[in-house]
Amino acid sequence: MNADPAAQAGDRRTPPRSVALPPTADSPRSARRFVQETLRGRLDEDTLDSALLLVTELVTNVVVHAGTVATVDVAEEHGSVRVAVGDRHPVRIGVGRRETAVRRPQPTDPDEDIESLESLEGLEGFETIGGGTAGIDGLREDGRGLALVDALASSWGTEHVAGGKTVWFRLESRRREDPRRSAALDDVHSAPSITHDPVPPQPTPSGPPPGPLGASPVGDLLMTTAGAGAGTTTVTARAPTAMSTRMPRLLARDTARALTAEGEVSELLAQLLDAVPAAGGRVQRPSQDGVRTETVATLGRTGPSADARVFALDPTQDSLGELLLWPYRAADDRPAGVPGVPGEPGEPGEPGEPGAGHEPGNGAHHDGVHHAEFDRDPFDIERIQLVSRWMALALGGGDMRRAEERRIGMLSFLAEASDLLAGSLDLTHSLTLLARLPVPRLAQWCAVYLNRDDAGPKLQAVGHAEESETAALNEAAVDPDGALMAAVRAARGDQVQTVTAFGGPALVVVLQARRRVLGVLALGRSAGHTFLADEIDLLADLARRASFAVDNARLYSRQVELAGTLQAGLRPPALPRIPGMDLGSAYGAAQSAGLDVGGDFFDLISGPTGWTVAIGDVCGKGAEAATVTGVARAVLRLLTGRGADLEELLVELNRALRDTATSHPNGQGRFCTLAAASLLPSETDGARLRLHLAGHPQPVVLHKDGTASLVGRTGTLLGVLDDGETSFPGLDLHLHAGESLVLYTDGVVEARRGRELFGDQRLVDAVAGCAGLSAQGVADRVLTAAERFAGGNLRDDVAILVTRVAD
């Protein structure tokens, strides 16, 4: 943000009123009093609330993070008010201070607890000491100061000079301007700047008396010349009367929406301290673990809890916390402008003082109603209890919102984790994913163990929030004498065990699915970060879901291994060596094959009369297809070994497959296509083949001149017709040196791209482009062409067998 354009253009109607505040715990309160006395009656109450809130946050920022004097400037402009808060630290907003020593605020009283100064909880909109998280354009967004300014101000910006920086904001007033009020403020704006000393001088008795209710606070200021040096003027604010004290009020809806529950409580505490004679206050409540006490908000000078007045936020719910107020130890211990205690010597309202608002000795408050407790207790108990209830409502509502957000977050985490785990059927990937999912959101580290049949649990995967600690975690997770391994070995049932391992609390959860213990899930955090009850339930639920995912992946891995073994059995483990011939093969499984065993097969069988080359395709997939394939290969090998003629062999195979269909439980068998060629002795160069087709696609011959053509005479399917209805015509082929016979299954020509098939012509063209390649090169080229055409998504298995006459 840049400097205020209105200020640069000279559009300011009146000079600003200024105050310089030391870096002490009282400065945010002094800033509030200064702004309140300057703007009250000038702004509507909601806008004034916003101004007080923003000034408190920004001054707290200066005190806590810059550690320098804070300056507050208030100026009236056309229909708006401009407030600027500056510090005297040279580091620009958005620049880290790792090498900059910042002086921490020091107590102004020797007996004051330094912790009360360092426990100021406000904004961290300026840069964080030691660095922080970078926001947009490098702007530090570790706190909510600038975020609040952006949410509540009509415009805002930053100004940087050599000796410090300033954050300014402008608020539009929704109240019609009073000309008399404007004139009064114009007079006071010509006064010198105000400097609040840690212990300001007391007002002189000859000062003007307090004005009536609703009068300008200008009459409450007393100007005296201090001896701080030539030309230095100190303007000390007279303590306002009780009638001018601004009472706490509920925040406007727009302001409350910009705050968290803790921020709303912090502002209510500031409003309360504006109205009661207290040096400081703190709101605290039990932490979620029930062991510690966490501070919700604090302001002013605090001290030991034993010296504070304690008020329960809600007497019926101790978990909401309590309000602690520290009274002033003496009347002269109060900074100027703090409301006094009725009846205390030297304070407005003292019996006999003119303008006190009640008759001497009658014990009546300024409103004319007798309050006996004010003669005994400096605090307005009813008002404090009312504000405490407002705080309880804010915290209760915040707790409900956080609980709902936490519940939704947990459900979302479980849903996302379930989707990720269910989306993988690879066991190794599932275990690695399980070890990573809880880190670092729910745990600092995670280890996954699986049980082995012949031994105890074995570490399978680990995850750690710090990669540098992964090696140490691996070592600790497998240490047989370590606490973690002992807890893993002792894990039983579905109970979550809590142990101490790897330097902090850890949970051990059994992975159990389908009444079978699969392994153990171990998670841990660093020391001092215990697991809450709902987190333990969440991790137990995650373990239950992960157990089924791991079990599914384990079963799937076994099925894939089994299917791969069966599929490999449908093909020869290695191609044989045939004198004078070059052989090559390729196989491509359909992408959707999964656990199904395909029906494509090929074989090369040696018989009494020579070699037989066969390739076939059984209809369907799965166990039935594997059965038919096994029958077909067994019959082929048996009859070829006996020297049966190829046509006679096909007749016997048809009969065997037909009988298999009859014995099927549902009476629905599987048919089979087959292409078989017997290598016959040749008296000339090359090779002579006898080719028979049983419902199989025509093979392709790659000629020596680089052309290719389909060959073969189509016959009937195997396993469908009776013996008298079958026909398996043969064709004699002569292959010269360098020529190839390419056998394939229908998955090649039926490769699909949309509605378009690869087809016979593309197959012929692909084979023709393989001139000069080896048999294996031809097989690989044809498979690649089919896969590329289908975009890598083959819908059917593909088997290719190439027989080439050696050169």
Side-chain angles (χ1 to χ4, degrees):
M1 304 292 288
N2 299 322
D4 186 1
Q8 293 177 342
D11 190 32
R12 187 172 294 165
R13 290 178 52 190
T14 56
R17 290 191 63 197
S18 302
V19 64
L21 304 169
T24 63
D26 279 331
S27 292
R29 296 186 63 191
S30 299
R32 289 180 63 91
R33 291 192 297 273
F34 167 72
V35 173
Q36 179 176 324
E37 289 301 315
T38 303
L39 298 180
R40 189 173 184 185
R42 198 66 173 173
L43 298 177
D44 60 279
E45 293 298 316
D46 291 344
T47 307
L48 181 57
D49 280 342
S50 298
L52 294 175
L53 171 63
L54 297 181
V55 167
T56 304
E57 299 291 349
L58 294 178
V59 172
T60 299
N61 239 5
V62 176
V63 172
V64 174
H65 298 292
T68 69
V69 171
T71 60
V72 181
D73 298 332
V74 181
E76 180 195 1
E77 298 173 352
H78 291 298
S80 65
V81 171
R82 182 184 187 274
V83 181
V85 177
D87 64 34
R88 298 178 184 177
H89 198 285
V91 178
R92 296 173 64 87
I93 295 177
V95 179
R97 300 204 192 115
R98 289 186 175 88
E99 300 178 358
T100 305
V102 179
R103 181 176 63 85
R104 302 296 300 174
Q106 299 298 321
T108 57
D109 189 280
D111 299 330
E112 185 176 354
D113 186 5
I114 187 65
E115 296 297 327
S116 66
L117 297 176
E118 297 186 352
S119 64
L120 289 173
E121 291 193 4
L123 267 233
E124 300 175 2
F126 286 123
E127 55 270 79
T128 301
I129 300 173
T133 306
I136 301 175
D137 298 331
L139 182 65
R140 299 285 172 174
E141 294 181 333
D142 305 277
R144 58 191 177 99
L146 296 183
L148 279 178
V149 173
D150 186 62
L152 299 179
S154 58
S155 61
W156 68 282
T158 60
E159 298 173 357
H160 294 81
V161 296
K165 53 190 171 294
T166 299
V167 177
W168 62 266
F169 60 88
R170 182 179 289 106
L171 296 172
E172 303 293 338
S173 176
R174 291 187 289 269
R175 172 170 293 183
R176 180 175 299 177
E177 187 173 298
D178 185 350
R180 293 174 298 176
R181 171 71 176 171
S182 177
L185 283 181
D186 289 345
D187 293 338
V188 77
H189 280 318
S190 62
S193 298
I194 303 175
T195 301
H196 279 237
D197 297 325
V199 182
Q202 298 296 317
T204 60
S206 61
L213 182 64
S216 169
V218 176
D220 296 333
L221 297 176
L222 178 65
M223 297 181 57
T224 60
T225 302
T232 301
T233 302
T234 299
V235 180
T236 303
R238 174 187 295 274
T241 65
M243 295 183 65
S244 65
T245 300
R246 188 169 187 262
M247 296 297 103
R249 60 193 300 273
L250 289 174
L251 301 181
R253 178 177 301 179
D254 293 341
T255 304
R257 285 176 178 174
L259 294 171
T260 62
E262 289 75 12
E264 187 172 352
V265 171
S266 180
E267 177 59 18
L268 288 173
L269 175 62
Q271 290 188 9
L272 182 62
L273 293 180
D274 289 342
V276 299
R282 181 168 68 230
V283 179
Q284 62 187 26
R285 62 175 176 177
S287 59
Q288 289 186 342
D289 57 17
V291 178
R292 298 166 296 167
T293 299
E294 62 180 19
T295 298
V296 178
T298 183
L299 186 64
R301 288 180 289 176
T302 62
S305 299
D307 297 340
R309 293 286 302 275
V310 181
F311 302 88
L313 298 186
D314 188 341
T316 64
Q317 299 185 48
D318 295 338
S319 60
L320 290 179
E322 56 192 8
L323 167 66
L324 286 76
L325 295 176
W326 279 265
Y328 288 107
R329 287 183 284 267
D332 57 358
D333 188 40
R334 288 192 306 275
V338 174
V341 180
E344 185 178 286
E347 291 298 328
E350 181 183 2
E353 181 181 347
H358 62 277
E359 296 299 327
N362 66 358
H365 196 38
H366 66 272
D367 55 5
V369 180
H370 181 80
H371 294 274
E373 64 270 19
F374 279 85
D375 296 334
R376 305 185 304 271
D377 196 326
F379 294 141
D380 186 343
I381 304 300
E382 292 184 358
R383 179 171 294 123
I384 294 175
Q385 290 176 343
L386 176 61
V387 176
S388 298
R389 292 190 185 97
W390 293 348
M391 293 179 177
L393 289 174
L395 291 179
D399 289 345
M400 292 177 62
R401 289 192 297 271
R402 274 191 295 268
E404 182 65 14
E405 292 171 357
R406 182 180 177 87
R407 186 184 69 84
I408 294 175
M410 289 182 172
L411 292 177
S412 299
F413 171 77
L414 281 178
E416 294 172 3
S418 299
D419 288 343
L420 290 173
L421 290 171
S424 172
L425 288 174
D426 180 81
L427 181 59
T428 302
H429 178 72
S430 297
L431 294 174
T432 303
L433 187 62
L434 177 57
R436 294 290 183 180
L437 280 174
V439 178
R441 183 172 182 176
L442 296 173
Q444 188 182 36
W445 58 266
C446 180
V448 183
Y449 299 81
L450 282 189
N451 290 342
R452 295 174 293 178
D453 296 335
D454 57 343
K458 180 182 179 181
L459 181 66
Q460 298 291 331
V462 297
H464 200 288
E466 301 292 339
E467 291 293 335
S468 58
E469 297 292 331
T470 303
L473 175 60
N474 267 304
E475 183 178 351
V478 298
D479 183 7
D481 299 326
L484 181 58
M485 199 63 188
V488 169
R489 287 193 297 263
R492 296 290 185 274
D494 57 355
Q495 296 297 323
V496 179
Q497 299 184 31
T498 303
V499 298
T500 300
F502 205 60
L507 301 179
V508 176
V509 190
V510 175
L511 298 176
Q512 185 174 356
R514 301 177 179 94
R515 298 182 180 180
R516 183 174 181 271
V517 176
L518 306 176
V520 174
L521 177 67
L523 310 98
R525 292 178 175 176
S526 57
H529 296 81
T530 59
F531 290 93
L532 301 179
D534 59 346
E535 293 173 336
I536 295 177
D537 293 339
L538 174 64
L539 293 173
D541 199 351
L542 173 65
R544 284 191 292 270
R545 297 171 184 237
S547 298
F548 284 96
V550 170
D551 194 39
N552 290 338
R554 181 184 61 84
L555 295 175
Y556 182 81
S557 299
R558 291 185 179 181
Q559 293 295 326
V560 168
E561 183 180 358
L562 177 60
T565 302
L566 291 175
Q567 191 71 61
L570 302 181
R571 305 183 300 274
L575 296 178
R577 292 185 178 182
I578 302 178
M581 304 299 294
D582 180 20
L583 303 176
S585 66
Y587 184 86
Q591 190 177 30
S592 59
L595 300 177
D596 292 332
V597 179
D600 294 16
F601 67 95
F602 61 85
D603 208 348
L604 295 97
I605 309 166
S606 176
T609 59
W611 287 88
T612 298
V613 180
I615 188 170
D617 186 6
V618 175
C619 173
K621 296 180 180 296
E624 295 181 13
T627 300
V628 176
T629 303
V631 171
R633 292 192 66 205
V635 173
L636 281 173
R637 285 186 166 274
L638 177 62
L639 297 180
T640 301
R642 291 180 178 180
D645 179 74
L646 192 54
E647 186 173 358
E648 178 185 355
L649 184 151
L650 293 175
V651 172
E652 293 295 332
L653 180 57
N654 178 73
R655 184 181 298 119
L657 293 179
R658 191 179 67 243
D659 294 342
T660 302
T662 304
S663 62
H664 192 273
N666 297 326
Q668 298 177 354
R670 299 283 185 175
F671 63 86
C672 175
T673 67
L674 185 73
S678 57
L679 298 177
L680 303 176
S682 177
E683 299 178 356
T684 61
D685 294 338
R688 190 164 60 92
L689 297 89
R690 180 72 174 176
L691 176 65
H692 291 267
L693 301 179
H696 203 80
Q698 291 177 298
V700 181
V701 173
L702 175 60
H703 301 285
K704 192 173 183 179
D705 59 359
T707 60
S709 60
L710 297 171
V711 296
R713 301 169 61 187
T714 303
T716 57
L717 294 172
L718 298 174
V720 177
L721 302 177
D722 293 335
D723 294 346
E725 300 174 336
T726 59
S727 174
F728 306 108
L731 177 67
D732 292 329
L733 296 175
H734 188 273
L735 298 179
H736 299 282
E739 294 185 333
S740 304
L741 176 66
V742 181
L743 304 173
Y744 60 91
T745 58
D746 60 359
V748 176
V749 293
E750 292 179 0
R752 187 179 296 272
R753 181 173 59 192
R755 295 184 177 182
E756 188 178 6
L757 298 178
F758 187 70
D760 294 337
Q761 187 57 49
R762 287 189 177 88
L763 172 62
V764 172
D765 295 341
V767 173
C770 297
L773 297 180
S774 65
Q776 187 61 48
V778 174
D780 293 338
R781 179 73 66 84
V782 172
L783 176 61
T784 301
E787 290 179 335
R788 186 178 301 165
F789 178 81
N793 183 21
L794 292 175
R795 298 190 178 186
D796 194 7
D797 295 337
V798 171
I800 302 171
L801 181 61
V802 180
T803 303
R804 180 176 181 273
V805 179
D807 295 329

